[in-house]
Amino acid sequence: MPKAPAKPLTPDQVLDKMAKYCAYQERCVKDVKDKLKTFDIPEKAKEEILEYLIDNRFVDNERFVRSFVRGKVNQSGWGLNKIRFHLMQKGIAKELIDEALRQTDEEVYRQKLIAILKTKAKTVKAASDYEKKRKLAAYAMQKGFEGSLVWDVLNGICFA
């Protein structure tokens, strides 16, 4: 038996859903706009909802960027290049991205890279030390770490 179509939501109900959506985790303006597109309400109501969410700090790109950078470095093990790319995809201003990336603790970041490389080194099969380092460098750069930092770390660590 087919499911009955859902009853359309009112703008107030959409606002309530969007407030919960934003409260659940940090969101950027683009994420909220994309989510609003999924609701069948007038464009004017969508604009008013977005404005309300921004004015009442449910959505704050600056706060989102800081949280995103912290999470991706600490939990996901992403490098700054990959983080920058993903933030640009979300339409975040270059100045906000640059500021958040500058706030990254360089020593914590370097130690994260070392830990990632040491873990990966246990599974890399290579005929020579050079080939192993090359594979590890490619892996780290694919995760968004800067080439100069990767090679600096690889040349300072023994993976025997």
Side-chain angles (χ1 to χ4, degrees), residues 32-140:
V32 173
K33 283 181 180 177
D34 290 347
K35 183 73 171 174
L36 277 169
K37 287 178 187 174
T38 67
F39 294 102
D40 188 23
I41 59 173
E43 286 303 312
K44 179 79 172 141
K46 291 177 185 177
E47 290 170 17
E48 289 170 0
I49 289 170
L50 180 61
E51 191 175 311
Y52 175 86
L53 294 171
I54 292 170
D55 290 347
N56 290 281
R57 297 190 38 87
F58 282 92
V59 181
D60 182 335
N61 274 352
E62 190 174 334
R63 193 176 61 219
F64 168 79
V65 171
R66 286 193 311 269
S67 173
F68 188 89
V69 170
R70 200 172 36 253
K72 294 305 179 189
V73 168
N74 296 331
Q75 269 74 46
S76 302
W78 286 13
L80 299 183
N81 290 337
K82 186 172 183 175
I83 293 169
R84 177 184 303 281
F85 175 78
H86 281 268
L87 288 170
M88 288 170 54
Q89 293 294 103
K90 290 187 174 287
I92 304 296
K94 182 183 182 316
E95 297 76 28
L96 281 179
I97 296 171
D98 291 343
E99 179 59 32
L101 295 179
R102 270 195 300 275
Q103 292 175 7
T104 303
D105 183 315
E106 289 179 32
E107 190 52 36
V108 169
Y109 183 66
R110 184 182 185 88
Q111 290 306 315
K112 186 60 125 175
L113 173 59
I114 291 169
I116 287 168
L117 289 171
K118 284 186 174 182
T119 301
K120 184 67 177 173
K122 295 174 187 172
T123 63
V124 171
K125 293 180 180 21
S128 67
D129 281 348
Y130 172 76
E131 185 183 355
K132 187 172 194 170
K133 282 185 177 183
R134 188 183 53 74
K135 287 182 176 184
L136 288 170
Y139 174 75

Side-chain angles (χ1 to χ4, degrees), residues 25-36:
Q25 80 178 41
E26 286 295 338
R27 310 284 180 180
C28 66
V29 171
K30 182 184 182 304
D31 290 343
V32 173
K33 283 181 180 177
D34 290 347
K35 183 73 171 174
L36 277 169

